[in-house]
Amino acid sequence: MNKKYIIFAPSYDENVGGSISMHRLCHLINEKGAEAYLWHDGKSNFNKCSSFNTPEIFTDKVNDYIVVYMDVVSGNPISCPHVVRWFLNKPGFFSGKISYGVSELYFRFQDTFSHEKLPSEKLYVAYFVKHYYSKKNHENREGSCYMMRKGRGREIVHDVADSVLIDGLSHEETAMVFNKSKYFYCYDLYSAYSSFAAMCGCIPIVIPEEGLSESNWQPDTRLRYGIAYGDSESQILYAKETARNLLMLIEQLEFESEANVEKFIERTQEHFRHIKKSVHQIELESPYYFQALRESKNKVVVFGASESLRTLVFTLDSESVDWHYIVDNDPLKSGSKLFGKQVYLPQNLFCTEHEFDVLIVSIFHLEIREQLLSFSQVRNVYSVYD
């Protein structure tokens, strides 16, 4: 009997490529005749795409399922014996560390996300929110716009005097900016927004990473259409000349995605027919900090009020960890509630009479570790990226 699928996905957000890809994968698996579900414990809001076929599930009977985790998920939160890791970015890109288990099957979204120590197979699943983006300004354009996102922390090398930062804007707002701007400087090496800019008649320039050649940046030449890698004259010319191919390419990629998912189903069913994690292996792979937090006499704090916390909340509950607060450096989140817990600024919580153990969820865990050294009430610090 074929195994069913659990897609361990974040809440749907049309502005986040990773969430789109995971939900789309669930949809296509179901459309191809297999059985797939999004994992949701029902305790919090969980957005889905109304046009996708993505039912939900929450169960402790996981032996007959194959779970698909994103590359950023550490460990095996639902203790499933059949684990797929889907590299939607380079493994370890956000944390600098890789925390996966044995007897797992790896897939990569693009060839550039391959890892020499983690052999993977390709699973490219395209879904472009293309209805937002089209060229509406055929007159003169002025100025530029730019995006950091996954390129946060990189040196800004273009003139920002008349440049609009689009991070955090909606698709409608972004499309308006693209239709006014001549250039789009993208510090995020791998973003669909580069293609969106080209569809609006704005020239996208991906800021090169030192030591990363054009062919290593993007081995699939089709995925370079309409995009300049750097601001040389030849690259700008290439972007202009190939932009006309984008719409046809997008349709082709979405069609190919269906065939890719068919192969994925065949491959995973064959692989996990004979391979599984043992109960002992699953226990050994459980992160060490859960036991430490269970036994702690201090107040347990989670650092990082974001969607990624959804995964951790379920795991903390399943591991019987009694946790108390959420902290975040964003003043706009202070005083709000997330997953039933109040969000505090670190300086407001860690100056009370309690002693604290902190579990960091944020990808900026190294910076946060340094920050926590200044609070004498913080006794132990752990990170999901350890």
Side-chain angles (χ1 to χ4, degrees):
M1 184 176 70
N2 283 347
K3 292 177 174 59
K4 295 169 279 191
Y5 295 85
I6 290 173
I7 311 301
F8 201 80
S11 184
Y12 186 80
D13 185 340
E14 66 177 9
N15 298 297
V16 179
S19 76
I20 294 174
S21 297
M22 293 291 280
H23 285 245
R24 185 65 175 176
L25 175 62
C26 183
H27 167 80
L28 289 178
I29 290 174
N30 286 319
E31 293 298 295
K32 294 302 174 183
E35 193 172 341
Y37 301 87
L38 297 174
W39 183 264
H40 180 217
D41 62 7
K43 294 182 180 180
S44 58
N45 293 331
F46 187 70
N47 297 326
K48 299 197 298 181
C49 179
S50 59
S51 61
F52 289 177
N53 178 10
T54 50
E56 301 169 21
I57 195 171
F58 184 71
T59 179
D60 58 0
K61 298 177 174 60
V62 294
N63 286 338
D64 294 328
Y65 290 86
I66 298 167
V67 64
V68 181
Y69 294 122
M70 300 168 67
D71 55 284
V72 294
V73 175
S74 297
N76 183 5
I78 68 171
S79 299
C80 185
H82 315 105
V83 173
V84 167
R85 305 276 177 185
W86 193 16
F87 303 156
L88 299 177
N89 208 315
K90 293 181 179 179
F93 174 82
F94 292 103
S95 65
K97 297 183 179 180
I98 299 172
S99 180
Y100 305 151
V102 300
S103 303
E104 300 182 355
L105 190 58
Y106 302 125
F107 287 85
R108 63 186 183 278
F109 187 79
Q110 298 183 31
D111 287 338
T112 191
F113 298 158
S114 61
H115 191 286
E116 59 181 6
K117 295 182 179 179
L118 302 170
S120 60
E121 302 175 38
K122 193 169 183 180
L123 176 61
Y124 186 83
V125 176
Y127 182 74
F128 294 85
V129 286
K130 52 184 179 290
H131 53 284
Y132 290 110
Y133 297 98
S134 61
K135 186 175 182 179
K136 297 179 180 178
N137 175 16
H138 296 269
E139 305 299 327
N140 293 331
R141 294 169 177 262
E142 295 182 353
S144 69
C145 54
Y146 70 107
M147 184 176 76
M148 303 301 296
R149 295 189 69 156
K150 295 190 294 294
R152 177 177 170 178
R154 298 186 66 195
E155 180 185 0
I156 296 178
V157 297
H158 78 286
D159 184 0
V160 298
D162 62 347
S163 195
V164 178
L165 178 64
I166 68 167
D167 287 26
L169 297 185
S170 67
H171 283 297
E172 293 94 337
E173 293 167 329
T174 301
M176 290 178 61
V177 174
F178 282 160
N179 269 287
K180 294 178 181 178
S181 304
K182 185 173 183 180
Y183 298 109
F184 168 51
Y185 294 94
C186 191
Y187 290 82
D188 186 336
L189 290 168
Y190 304 102
S191 174
Y193 280 84
S194 293
S195 296
F196 297 156
M199 291 161 65
C200 293
C202 180
I203 300 172
I205 300 172
V206 173
I207 304 301
E209 182 178 278
E210 185 176 355
L212 185 65
S213 68
E214 181 185 8
S215 59
N216 287 330
W217 160 66
Q218 186 48 264
D220 189 339
T221 56
R222 299 180 305 166
L223 300 184
R224 299 184 215 158
Y225 287 170
I227 303 171
Y229 187 58
D231 60 358
S232 68
E233 289 186 13
S234 61
Q235 284 289 334
I236 298 295
L237 180 61
Y238 173 83
K240 290 179 178 179
E241 291 180 342
T242 57
R244 66 177 70 94
N245 301 329
L246 264 180
L247 289 179
M248 184 178 297
L249 172 63
I250 287 172
E251 291 183 6
Q252 181 182 349
L253 290 174
E254 291 183 345
F255 178 77
E256 288 178 5
S257 296
E258 298 188 24
N260 293 341
V261 171
E262 287 183 351
K263 293 178 182 177
F264 169 81
I265 294 171
E266 293 175 2
R267 181 71 179 95
T268 52
Q269 292 295 331
E270 175 190 7
H271 180 82
F272 291 114
R273 191 167 289 120
H274 309 292
I275 295 176
K276 64 183 293 187
K277 292 177 182 286
S278 68
V279 173
H280 182 60
Q281 284 174 332
I282 292 173
E283 291 175 350
L284 288 176
E285 291 169 4
S286 177
Y288 74 94
Y289 46 76
F290 288 132
Q291 182 174 349
L293 292 174
R294 274 196 301 269
E295 298 173 353
S296 175
K297 303 300 182 183
N298 303 322
K299 296 292 184 180
V300 176
V301 179
V302 173
F303 202 124
S306 67
E307 173 59 33
S308 60
L309 183 54
R310 180 185 304 278
T311 300
L312 184 66
V313 168
F314 162 75
T315 312
L316 289 171
D317 290 343
S318 65
E319 293 285 344
S320 301
V321 174
D322 185 20
W323 63 291
H324 306 89
Y325 306 106
I326 301 173
V327 296
D328 197 278
N329 284 320
D330 186 350
L332 297 177
K333 295 178 180 179
S334 178
S336 64
K337 280 199 169 183
L338 189 63
F339 304 104
K341 305 289 185 180
Q342 187 164 343
V343 181
Y344 294 84
L345 289 171
Q347 60 267 30
N348 293 342
L349 181 63
F350 296 141
C351 292
T352 62
E353 72 277 8
H354 299 296
E355 295 183 338
F356 303 94
D357 287 353
V358 180
L359 178 59
I360 303 172
V361 189
S362 170
I363 59 174
F364 304 105
H365 57 108
L366 296 178
E367 297 92 327
I368 291 171
R369 280 187 182 276
E370 289 294 320
Q371 177 187 1
L372 291 174
L373 293 175
S374 64
F375 298 105
S376 61
Q377 297 299 95
V378 174
R379 297 304 185 209
N380 299 289
V381 179
Y382 310 97
S383 167
V384 297
Y385 298 108
D386 285 344

